[in-house]
Amino acid sequence: MSAPNDDMEMEKIAEDELSKLQRQYRVMELERGAVCASARPALRLQRQMVATLSAHLENIMLELKLTNSTSNVLENARTREKILIMLKEHEKYSSEVREHRSNITELNFLLKQVQKEIKALKSKGTTVDKECALEVTNQGMVAQLENRLDTAMKKFNAVNSDNYSMRLQIDCLLQDRQFFNTTWRKQLRKLMAGKAQLLELVEQAIGAHELREESCARLHALREQAAQQYRKHCLEVRELQRQLEHSVKLEQFLRTKGTVRLTAADARAEARRQHKHELEAHAYNNHLNVLDAIKEFTGEQELGRLRQEFTRREEENYALFNYVNELHAELTALADSVNQLNDAIDDEKAKHEARMYKQQDSVESLRSELSQLREARERAQLHCATSEHALSALLRQVRELAQSCECESLPLLKLVGGTLDVSASSARLYLTSLEHRLREMVDLIKMDEAMQRHADAKTRTPPPARRARRAPPSPRPPRSLLAHA
């Protein structure tokens, strides 16, 4: 019984673990959906920022490429030299200003010392002469110091005016630079637009050139074909003229030779020849009339120009005929391709319908299998429930039997701290303890029966000597325990 119990316990643990993992999976799916929904706006903003930064980077790279040009490099070098010169002058003037300020501070310090000495002398109460002399000397020193201060202030004011003029000049240069940068960007935009227009014009010119080359090739082919037809026509005319001259010479020869010897056959041949000649003359007159009608219709009297117009019209008709043939070929090709596509669409529709029927069949089969599996699972659950109920009843009976038998393993479980309920893990311990208890009880019963038989034998044949003291009877187990056993 232990092996099926262990298997059922393992299956139960596996089912619990599976349900726990499914619940964790659902929770993780919900969390993932929430995180994705919350991260979409941030991702959209980040993509927009990346796009704007990439566009800004392209603009910066374009400006860097433009600034690395030769004209900009030379202009930047010139402005750098000017700025360096101005910075050097600014440092020089600032050093001079610092020196003058230090001088002014020293003079102020000396004036304060002189004033302190004057105050000290006044406090000592010197005589009038000394005071006059000191006053004169002090006035002279004050005049000298005022002169020095005046010169220093003049220099300081001059430096400040120069600095102010240089600042104005620097501001003007910065404004010029900003204006230059703006105009430079505008010119760059115009240049890029002009380049784009130039590329479009170049593409159009290339297309026109290709069309012209194709037209020239067609015209050359038509000219060659016309020249071949003209040569062929000339050869045919020469051949016909030669045949005509030969027939005229032959006619003259036959006339001279056949004037005397005329027969009925010759008369008939002469009549046929005359009739043929009349037909030819009539055809010639018809042709002349047609030619006159053509001249009247076209208004052209010269045959050369008329022939040129005819050849031109013939070439145009031939070109139109070729164009119509090409269009017809393209239309037939398109019709074939459309028919092929229709056939492919029909095939795909048939495949799709077959796939749908197959999928429906597979879905129905899977549904039937699912229903069968669900029924099998319900039966297995029912069987598992019945078996668990039977197992719990059996384990409860085992526990009652163990308690009624007073097994020695129960105190051990109490000392260890385990529960007294019989479980799949402690059932083996109960069974082993019951087995040992039953063996002990069987041994006790056998010993009791043996002792009873021995006592019966003694009572039947008493010994002559004094009887020995009977041993006290061993305690017998209760009948309820024996009945359980």
Side-chain angles (χ1 to χ4, degrees), residues 167-235:
R167 284 180 183 278
L168 290 175
Q169 190 175 2
I170 289 168
D171 291 334
C172 292
L173 290 172
L174 290 172
Q175 290 177 0
D176 293 338
R177 182 182 178 183
Q178 187 176 3
F179 179 72
F180 173 76
N181 289 326
T182 53
T183 51
W184 178 257
R185 291 192 188 94
K186 289 180 181 178
Q187 292 298 325
L188 280 176
R189 293 193 192 96
K190 290 181 180 179
L191 180 62
M192 297 300 290
K195 285 183 178 179
Q197 292 178 1
L198 183 62
L199 289 173
E200 291 179 358
L201 292 173
V202 167
E203 290 177 357
Q204 292 177 3
I206 290 169
H209 182 71
E210 290 178 355
L211 183 62
R212 180 179 172 277
E213 290 291 332
E214 186 178 358
S215 302
C216 288
R218 287 184 180 180
L219 183 62
H220 184 68
L222 292 173
R223 284 178 180 175
E224 288 181 354
Q225 188 176 3
Q228 290 177 2
Q229 290 178 359
Y230 179 71
R231 287 193 293 272
K232 186 177 179 181
H233 182 70
C234 289
L235 291 173

Side-chain angles (χ1 to χ4, degrees), residues 346-359:
D346 295 335
D347 295 336
E348 289 294 329
K349 285 182 179 179
K351 290 180 181 178
H352 181 67
E353 291 177 356
R355 197 180 298 114
M356 290 295 293
Y357 290 143
K358 188 175 180 181
Q359 287 178 358

Side-chain angles (χ1 to χ4, degrees), residues 273-286:
R273 193 162 41 255
Q274 287 290 334
H275 183 67
K276 186 177 180 180
H277 182 69
E278 289 177 358
L279 290 174
E280 289 178 354
H282 182 68
Y284 178 73
N285 292 324
N286 289 331

Side-chain angles (χ1 to χ4, degrees), residues 59-73:
N59 293 327
I60 290 170
M61 293 300 293
L62 179 62
E63 290 178 358
L64 287 173
K65 288 180 181 179
L66 293 172
T67 52
N68 290 326
S69 61
T70 55
S71 61
N72 287 328
V73 168

Side-chain angles (χ1 to χ4, degrees), residues 111-129:
L111 283 171
K112 288 179 181 179
Q113 291 292 331
V114 169
Q115 288 175 0
K116 286 180 181 180
E117 289 177 359
I118 290 167
K119 287 180 181 179
L121 291 173
K122 284 181 179 180
S123 63
K124 287 179 181 179
T126 56
T127 59
V128 177
D129 296 331

